[in-house]
């Protein structure tokens, strides 16, 4: 979705604030729970260094932090990728901005940071911008029109029999459903 220059700057600033807050959250988490890892971080380290340290020691962190699971590791990677796009001035559309803020909020909540609510408000601001964009640029007929589909012709070999006879009731015959079109060659 193409945004106006003003909207793009607002979204860019929201991402910037969220990334900074997430960096502080991760740094505080390491300082509080893993002092030996925290000592490896220089003062004022950026998100890349902090998250890389978390990812390199993820197995240790998983054992001591019950809220985190292995599946959350992907969220750290997605946030790193978003930080890279942000740092290199790539455009963020509203949908990807929402995803980044959602990932940051999930991890901040899991790391017990009280600023997760502020990121949640940023997410709502992005949703409001998205709703404004849709309201101004998408005609109502496009929003609520039914999707028109035509039945696909299926080769005879691709027909799956949905209704199988049960061993108890042998009287039923196997027949393809009426929606399936058989293409005999």
């Amino acid at each position: 979705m193409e945004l106006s220059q003003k909207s793009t700057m607002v979204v860019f600033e929201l991402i910037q604030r969220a990334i900074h807050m997430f960096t502080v959250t991760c740094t505080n988490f390491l300082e509080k729970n893993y002092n030996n890892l925290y000592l490896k971080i220089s003062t004022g380290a950026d998100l890349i260094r902090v998250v890389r340290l978390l990812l390199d020691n993820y197995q240790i962190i998983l054992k001591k932090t019950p809220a985190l699971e292995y599946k959350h590791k992907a969220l750290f990677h997605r946030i790193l990728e978003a930080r890279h796009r942000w740092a290199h001035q790539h455009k963020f559309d509203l949908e990807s901005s929402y995803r980044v803020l959602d990932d940051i909020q999930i991890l901040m909540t899991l790391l017990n940071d009280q600023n997760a609510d502020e990121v949640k408000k940023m997410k709502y601001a992005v949703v409001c911008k998205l709703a404004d964009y849709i309201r101004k640029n998408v005609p109502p007929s496009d929003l609520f029109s039914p999707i028109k589909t035509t039945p696909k012709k299926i080769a005879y070999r691709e027909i799956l029999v949905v209704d199988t006879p049960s061993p108890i009731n042998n009287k039923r015959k196997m027949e393809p459903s009426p929606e399936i079109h058989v293409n005999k060659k």
Side-chain angles (χ1 to χ4, degrees), residues 82-148:
R83 187 261 174 216
H84 176 74
R85 289 187 307 144
W86 169 82
H88 293 280
Q89 306 291 320
H90 290 264
K91 286 188 178 182
F92 274 90
D93 63 346
L94 290 173
E95 294 162 358
S96 62
S97 301
Y98 180 82
R99 279 188 218 106
V100 170
L101 292 172
D102 189 44
D103 293 344
I104 289 174
Q105 184 209 354
I106 289 169
L107 289 175
M108 287 177 76
T109 302
L110 291 172
L111 299 177
N112 295 323
D113 189 8
Q114 66 275 7
N115 290 330
D117 290 335
E118 189 172 337
V119 176
K120 189 176 188 178
K121 291 176 186 173
M122 290 180 200
K123 236 175 38 172
Y124 290 147
V126 169
V127 168
C128 290
K129 290 263 183 216
L130 183 59
D132 287 344
Y133 177 84
I134 290 172
R135 184 176 46 82
K136 291 177 185 173
N137 298 314
V138 179
S141 61
D142 289 349
L143 288 176
F144 301 108
S145 63
I147 299 172
K148 296 177 183 174

Side-chain angles (χ1 to χ4, degrees), residues 9-184:
M9 288 307 297
V10 170
V11 170
F12 193 77
E13 290 169 5
L14 287 175
I15 299 293
Q16 180 182 11
R17 281 187 26 217
I19 286 174
H20 175 72
M21 289 169 59
F22 185 66
T23 305
V24 171
T25 298
C26 291
T27 305
N28 291 342
F29 174 76
L30 286 173
E31 180 181 17
K32 185 175 162 183
N33 300 313
Y34 304 95
N35 200 24
N36 58 338
L37 294 177
Y38 174 72
L39 296 174
K40 295 180 182 179
I41 302 173
S42 60
T43 307
D46 68 340
L47 180 72
I48 292 175
R49 181 159 172 91
V50 174
V51 172
R52 286 281 175 220
L53 187 63
L54 279 166
L55 290 173
D56 290 345
N57 298 287
Y58 204 73
Q59 292 298 328
I60 298 168
I61 292 170
L62 276 177
K63 291 177 185 174
K64 295 184 180 180
T65 311
L68 283 177
E69 296 177 16
Y70 193 77
K71 65 183 178 184
H72 296 121
K73 189 174 184 178
L75 297 179
F76 283 106
H77 285 287
R78 286 181 12 187
I79 291 170
L80 277 180
E81 190 267 332
R83 187 261 174 216
H84 176 74
R85 289 187 307 144
W86 169 82
H88 293 280
Q89 306 291 320
H90 290 264
K91 286 188 178 182
F92 274 90
D93 63 346
L94 290 173
E95 294 162 358
S96 62
S97 301
Y98 180 82
R99 279 188 218 106
V100 170
L101 292 172
D102 189 44
D103 293 344
I104 289 174
Q105 184 209 354
I106 289 169
L107 289 175
M108 287 177 76
T109 302
L110 291 172
L111 299 177
N112 295 323
D113 189 8
Q114 66 275 7
N115 290 330
D117 290 335
E118 189 172 337
V119 176
K120 189 176 188 178
K121 291 176 186 173
M122 290 180 200
K123 236 175 38 172
Y124 290 147
V126 169
V127 168
C128 290
K129 290 263 183 216
L130 183 59
D132 287 344
Y133 177 84
I134 290 172
R135 184 176 46 82
K136 291 177 185 173
N137 298 314
V138 179
S141 61
D142 289 349
L143 288 176
F144 301 108
S145 63
I147 299 172
K148 296 177 183 174
T149 59
T150 57
K152 177 184 169 188
K153 292 189 176 184
I154 302 172
Y156 181 72
R157 285 182 230 97
E158 296 176 6
I159 293 179
L160 299 175
V161 178
V162 179
D163 189 18
T164 57
S166 104
I168 299 169
N169 186 2
N170 294 347
K171 295 176 185 175
R172 287 185 2 195
K173 295 181 181 178
M174 292 189 342
E175 297 176 5
S177 67
E179 302 89 49
I180 298 176
H181 301 282
V182 179
N183 186 8
K184 295 182 181 177

